[in-house]
Amino acid sequence: MSLSDVIAAARGQQPVDLLLADARLVNVLSGEIHQADVAIFGGRVVGFGAYQARQVVDLGGRYLCPGFIDAHVHLESSMVQPAEFARAVMPHGTTTVICDPHEIANVLGLEGVHYI
């Protein structure tokens, strides 16, 4: 898939892969909630509004928000391995964490930092 394909889909010149219809879209910057249809092509959000789509999922007014970023985590303090931590936080919307490895570095040195 080329950039021109993504642009064509965003312009509505070709069908998108997925349209998430009737969503309540959470704007995490403004705090507002917008009624919206969200168009996805090639795994990317390419637009909002009416699009022709290969697949339509009606969200029925359910909330849709971006993946959350936890900007300061001491993963080793969770007392679980990274994969288990991910399994615990992903269902609640956290898709990214910024790990501060100083605690594990104090205990295991560079080997611990590489592990995290």
Side-chain angles (χ1 to χ4, degrees):
M1 166 187 21
S2 68
L3 180 58
S4 60
D5 291 329
V6 174
I7 292 169
R11 289 180 174 168
Q13 297 168 338
Q14 71 181 53
V16 296
D17 298 327
L18 175 64
L19 185 68
L20 300 174
D22 190 24
R24 287 191 230 176
L25 185 62
V26 178
N27 183 329
V28 296
L29 294 175
S30 71
E32 297 172 298
I33 297 174
H34 309 273
Q35 201 70 26
D37 295 341
V38 180
I40 300 170
F41 182 79
R44 299 177 183 176
V45 173
V46 295
F48 303 97
Y51 280 83
Q52 293 294 320
R54 292 182 183 88
Q55 179 183 6
V56 176
V57 175
D58 184 353
L59 295 184
R62 290 184 181 96
Y63 290 93
L64 182 64
C65 59
F68 298 122
I69 299 171
D70 188 332
H72 188 108
V73 172
H74 295 274
L75 189 59
E76 63 279 11
S77 295
S78 70
M79 303 295 284
V80 296
Q81 294 180 348
E84 186 61 29
F85 183 84
R87 278 191 286 278
V89 300
M90 287 286 294
H92 301 285
T94 299
T95 60
T96 305
V97 296
I98 309 301
C99 294
D100 181 343
H102 84 272
E103 291 177 13
I104 200 158
N106 290 343
V107 176
L108 294 175
L110 192 55
E111 183 179 333
V113 173
H114 285 280
Y115 171 76
I116 292 294

